[in-house]
Amino acid sequence: RKEVEQDPGPFNVPEGATVAFNCTYSNSASQSFFWYRQDCRKEPKLLMSVYSSGNEDGRFTAQLNRASQYISLLIRDSKLSDSATYLCVVNGINTDKLIFGTGTRLQVFP
Amino acid sequence: GAVVSQHPSRVICKSGTSVKIECRSLDFQATTMFWYRQFPKQSLMLMATSNEGSKATYEQGVEKDKFLINHASLTLSTLTVTSAHPEDSSFYICSASQTDTQYFGPGTRLTVL
């Protein structure tokens, strides 16, 4: 089983739609969780950290369920510029190492 | 956010040659940097953790004699791919930690002919 699993997509949605991505992780001891965004042939960029209480940043909402080892990202009012691959990222105990999911590709169309 | 640069951004080389990639933290000091590799349509895979002033820590399956890492200063880590072969063609990305966040360099696309 992969350490971080994501549905690869692609998710094709119209502008203005709401879309949700899910991610599961295998190590129950993982401590920090993130969503990164990666554009084609570019480096990943941090979108947001994910906290146990859930957190929101504008149109983006992240949720963490430790019991189910599940992380989600909700994007409201999708924009064309949201088209990218969204990477679920986890790190472990006492380490800076990041473990990346394979990413979920989002394509927003007009 | 913090800035990390990589050089070169793209390199094409012949099989058997060595290629050096530089990773610099431009506006902060990083005692730890990380080197990743990403093949098409796959996730980033951590290759090694680069520690300033000491030996790098390599992930399982990564040959330390083939991927030489040097972290000579708090702002510079280098990855040298020795005797490169076509299967080493990939996107190599470094990152550097500041507080709890890793900042990524723009990546180096290596093509070995």
Side-chain angles (χ1 to χ4, degrees), chain A residues 60-76:
Chain A
F60 300 86
T61 301
Q63 297 274 359
L64 168 65
N65 184 323
R66 284 189 184 270
S68 303
Q69 294 176 212
Y70 171 96
I71 307 161
S72 66
L73 176 69
L74 183 77
I75 304 176
R76 289 181 299 279

Side-chain angles (χ1 to χ4, degrees), chain A residues 34 36 38 41-46 87 96-98 100-103, chain B residues 10 34 36 38 43-44 46 59 91 93 97 101-102 104-106 109:
Chain A
F34 310 90
Y36 276 74
Q38 186 175 24
R41 303 172 80 84
K42 300 281 189 182
E43 77 278 18
K45 293 192 175 171
L46 179 66
L87 304 170
D96 287 341
K97 291 184 187 179
L98 296 181
F100 285 79
T102 51
Chain B
R10 189 178 198 96
F34 302 88
Y36 297 84
Q38 186 177 33
S43 61
L44 273 75
L46 180 65
E59 295 300 301
F91 191 43
I93 309 176
S97 286
T101 302
Q102 279 195 31
F104 287 83
R109 195 159 298 279

Side-chain angles (χ1 to χ4, degrees), chain A residues 2-6 23-25 34-38 43-46 85-91 96-103, chain B residues 34-38 42-47 93-95 102-104:
Chain A
K2 290 181 182 175
E3 291 186 80
V4 180
E5 295 210 54
Q6 292 181 252
C23 166
T24 57
Y25 59 96
F34 310 90
W35 283 101
Y36 276 74
R37 169 194 169 127
Q38 186 175 24
E43 77 278 18
K45 293 192 175 171
L46 179 66
T85 297
Y86 290 84
L87 304 170
C88 177
V89 184
V90 172
N91 77 351
D96 287 341
K97 291 184 187 179
L98 296 181
I99 302 166
F100 285 79
T102 51
Chain B
F34 302 88
W35 287 97
Y36 297 84
R37 180 167 56 180
Q38 186 177 33
Q42 294 187 26
S43 61
L44 273 75
M45 295 299 296
L46 180 65
M47 298 176 66
I93 309 176
C94 72
S95 72
Q102 279 195 31
Y103 295 92
F104 287 83

